Amino acid sequence: MEGKKETRQFQTEVQQLLKLIINSLYSNQEIFLRELISNASDAIDKLRFQSQTDSGILEDGSDFKIQLIPDKEKKQLIISDNGIGMTYEEVMENIGTIAKSGTATFLKAIEKTNKNDALTPELIGQFGVGFYSAFIVAEKVTILTRAAGAGTGVKWESTGDGSYTIEAFEKKTRGTDIILKLKDAEEDEQDFTDEWTIREIVKRHSDFVNYPIVMDVERNEPIPEKEQVLDKNGKPMGETTRKVVKEETLNSMKAIWLKNKDEITEEEYAEFYKHIGHDWNPPLTKLHLKMEGTTEYNVLLYIPSRAPMDLFSPERKHGLQLYCKRVFIMDNCKELMPDYFSFVKGVVDAPDLNLNVSREILQQDRLVRNIRKNLVSKLFKLFSDMEAAKYDEFYKEFGQVIKTGIHTDFENKDKISELVRYRTTKSEDKLISLKEYVSRMKPDQKEIYYITGDNLSSILNSPHLEALKEKDYEVLLMTDPVDEWVVMSLTEYDGKKLKSAEKGDLDLDQVDEKKKNEFTSLFDHIKARLEKHIKEVKASTRLKGSVACLSGDNYDMSAYMEKILKSTGQSIPETKRVLELNVGHPVIAGIKELFDKDKKDERINDFSDLLYDIAVIGEGGKVSNPSRFSQKIGELMSRSLKS
């Protein structure tokens, strides 16, 4: 039975939004299949709910499934469900307009019932905006649908040009078939009639839909021996295999994040991690939560046991997938997790989130911001409560990225500071927390001392630490490039200021003023000699055994920061530093003696140059003229041996 065909125009908003949806809300073509499968699942949910009070509605059976039927020759893909279907009026209301999918009415019906939660559909999609994603890949879309309990079906058809046709149509069973006449694919585009392309898309986007997503596949199977024709030697005379078509289920239908923890084995947790993490290593630990309150959502997070190779790559994706009532919305969901926790993998399922939400909307969504805040808080607690050996294992892999949060997340800076660990002058082989450092500070120690550099051995033996070591003060050894940004933002911890061992005055000891004045003329001479490199020469309170070092003012760039920026090709202003000399060292006393005898002695200039080069080498730098430095050292050694 077919009725009169009507041609109608899409609602103005549909025409306006169709282009916007295709170009903005969907970042890749394959998303259309997720949307249509979601709608099919929604239709089955509605039927299941309605059947609780009207069992007769299931006259066509209750073997629910979503069927995918590709046809390569016809360039066609059909998405078929045996859900609740639509009447003529519902098609008119739902498909030609935006935000009229019947979902709101359906929700009101649920609210009026006294049914328990088990009868409430777990998934209520939006047959509206998502449906139009079909036009991303299809040049024509046809809908054949029949409402459960109705005697007549409906046919709807459009090429997406602003109009559609609708007519009564004979359909034997309830449910909806969406027939896509696919556009010609470009050479580098996916073939949506290819079995393995469809399998991959379903696995990635709809694996945890609650109903079987099935597809007929062709396979070669052995022909049973009893059906084969054998020769006189008992060997088959014809084909031993034949092609058969079988229906296969493409999705797992396992949403373990919605289950109770005691229903899930460790093996299931591990398998799911492998699926979403693409990681063969087992996770270090996990966090499975059901958040309840004003808004409810389910969370299953994993902490990997190994850092990915691209941990610091700008192109690296975040590990969180966002779902809404088991329907995949997006992966690489940066809006749910700050960059310093980007290594966390897992799933967040937020029932109250719009299925068709865009990234731009996510950034402004209050629910998303609330989820993010709670997730970050839970992770801080997870790491803080972690057993020491396991935390050391974790920090070895992810400590560097954790520390970036101190510079980028002012709100959580103090919490992140509790997570960071450092080696120290008293703990070369073991990382310690800032809390532990403070607990073992000397009674007269007022500041937390640190030194930065790219080589642990070099900074551990730095001349800048000599006076601190003599006083038995512990010093944090910072060897990660990110540490330079850490100390910019983390200026104090537990009321104790962080102080660089190589910048500013350490105020540890006072140089005798009389003795200091004795070197004024010599220091002025050395400063004049080295004025291209330094801004001042002064008596050091840092040095005890070494003869010279370079230091900066409190707000100067450190030598390591300068080295980092130069290595990235950045142009940085030249910063002259202070040459500190150990006036108690015999070398300085000897140079002073030469200077007092003859201020024009050429050796004084040579010694001045050598003092500067020694200071540069002492902090791990490179001298500007290695050949000349080597030559002068050789001459000094020769003179020493002759004497």
Side-chain angles (χ1 to χ4, degrees), residues 181-214:
K181 176 65 175 176
L182 298 171
K183 299 174 183 176
D184 292 328
E186 299 292 334
E187 187 175 341
D188 59 343
E189 290 182 337
Q190 294 168 292
D191 178 3
F192 297 112
T193 63
D194 177 71
E195 175 193 338
W196 297 104
T197 298
I198 293 172
R199 283 179 178 275
E200 183 182 353
I201 294 171
V202 170
K203 194 69 178 174
R204 180 163 55 246
H205 295 294
S206 305
D207 191 51
F208 301 104
V209 166
N210 200 33
Y211 308 104
I213 301 171
V214 302

Side-chain angles (χ1 to χ4, degrees), residues 325-503:
K325 304 182 190 75
R326 296 179 61 174
V327 177
F328 178 86
I329 294 178
M330 67 179 70
D331 56 7
N332 187 30
C333 193
K334 297 180 179 181
E335 294 76 14
L336 285 175
M337 196 66 67
D339 285 344
Y340 56 88
F341 283 158
S342 62
F343 55 84
V344 177
K345 299 178 183 294
V347 169
V348 175
D349 193 328
D352 296 329
L353 201 61
N354 188 327
L355 272 175
N356 298 296
V357 68
S358 69
R359 288 201 178 277
E360 292 74 18
I361 296 171
L362 271 183
Q363 292 169 0
Q364 307 299 324
D365 191 278
R366 193 164 74 175
L367 171 60
V368 172
R369 292 200 302 269
N370 179 262
I371 294 173
R372 175 186 172 119
K373 183 177 180 180
N374 288 336
L375 292 184
V376 170
S377 177
K378 293 294 183 181
L379 285 171
F380 280 133
K381 187 174 189 315
L382 175 71
F383 296 135
S384 298
D385 294 345
M386 198 175 282
E387 187 266 333
K390 180 176 278 193
Y391 186 79
D392 288 345
E393 187 181 342
F394 159 74
Y395 194 78
K396 178 183 175 183
E397 299 292 328
F398 301 104
Q400 278 186 284
V401 71
I402 288 287
K403 285 188 284 191
T404 63
I406 289 178
H407 188 66
T408 58
D409 188 352
F410 180 80
E411 182 181 353
N412 290 306
K413 179 178 66 175
D414 292 339
K415 292 180 181 178
I416 302 171
S417 70
E418 298 293 344
L419 300 180
V420 300
R421 301 288 187 269
Y422 289 104
R423 287 183 171 81
T424 74
T425 49
K426 294 184 179 182
S427 180
E428 301 171 37
D429 302 322
K430 182 179 180 296
L431 296 168
I432 70 164
S433 65
L434 296 178
K435 183 177 182 179
E436 186 175 352
Y437 176 97
V438 170
S439 71
R440 56 199 207 192
M441 285 173 62
K442 294 296 177 182
D444 62 337
Q445 184 181 341
K446 298 178 181 178
E447 296 171 307
I448 298 172
Y449 295 102
Y450 70 87
I451 186 169
T452 61
D454 60 354
N455 182 277
L456 183 64
S457 177
S458 177
I459 60 175
L460 180 62
N461 297 290
S462 170
H464 295 95
L465 306 185
E466 290 174 355
L468 292 166
K469 287 179 178 179
E470 185 178 75
K471 286 190 171 292
D472 199 29
Y473 288 172
E474 191 169 15
V475 182
L476 300 172
L477 306 174
M478 299 184 169
T479 54
D480 290 334
V482 69
D483 288 325
E484 287 288 351
W485 283 268
V486 168
V487 295
M488 284 184 195
S489 301
L490 190 67
T491 55
E492 67 174 58
Y493 173 83
D494 193 23
K496 308 288 191 301
K497 290 188 178 299
L498 269 71
K499 173 69 178 173
S500 171
E502 60 173 329
K503 292 196 288 186

Side-chain angles (χ1 to χ4, degrees), residues 140-191:
K140 182 170 73 173
V141 177
T142 303
I143 299 175
L144 305 179
T145 184
R146 197 196 85 186
T152 305
V154 184
K155 179 179 180 179
W156 180 100
E157 197 166 69
S158 175
T159 57
D161 59 355
S163 65
Y164 60 89
T165 61
I166 184 169
E167 60 184 307
F169 183 82
E170 183 177 356
K171 189 175 185 299
K172 294 181 179 180
T173 57
R174 66 157 194 266
T176 301
D177 301 337
I178 298 180
I179 305 168
L180 307 180
K181 176 65 175 176
L182 298 171
K183 299 174 183 176
D184 292 328
E186 299 292 334
E187 187 175 341
D188 59 343
E189 290 182 337
Q190 294 168 292
D191 178 3

Side-chain angles (χ1 to χ4, degrees), residues 272-288 299-311 316-322 332-333 337 341-348 375 379 382-383 398:
F272 182 66
Y273 171 72
K274 289 178 183 178
H275 171 66
I276 63 166
H278 305 288
D279 185 359
W280 289 104
N281 297 302
L284 182 67
T285 189
K286 64 183 181 300
L287 189 64
H288 191 178
V299 178
L300 178 53
L301 305 181
Y302 292 94
I303 309 302
S305 56
R306 296 289 181 270
M309 297 294 290
D310 60 349
L311 182 62
R316 193 178 72 82
K317 294 184 176 181
H318 282 223
L320 286 195
Q321 297 180 355
L322 180 61
N332 187 30
C333 193
M337 196 66 67
F341 283 158
S342 62
F343 55 84
V344 177
K345 299 178 183 294
V347 169
V348 175
L375 292 184
L379 285 171
L382 175 71
F383 296 135
F398 301 104

Side-chain angles (χ1 to χ4, degrees), residues 29 61 328 399 427 530 555 627:
Q29 289 185 324
F328 178 86
S427 180
L530 302 172
Y555 299 104
S627 177

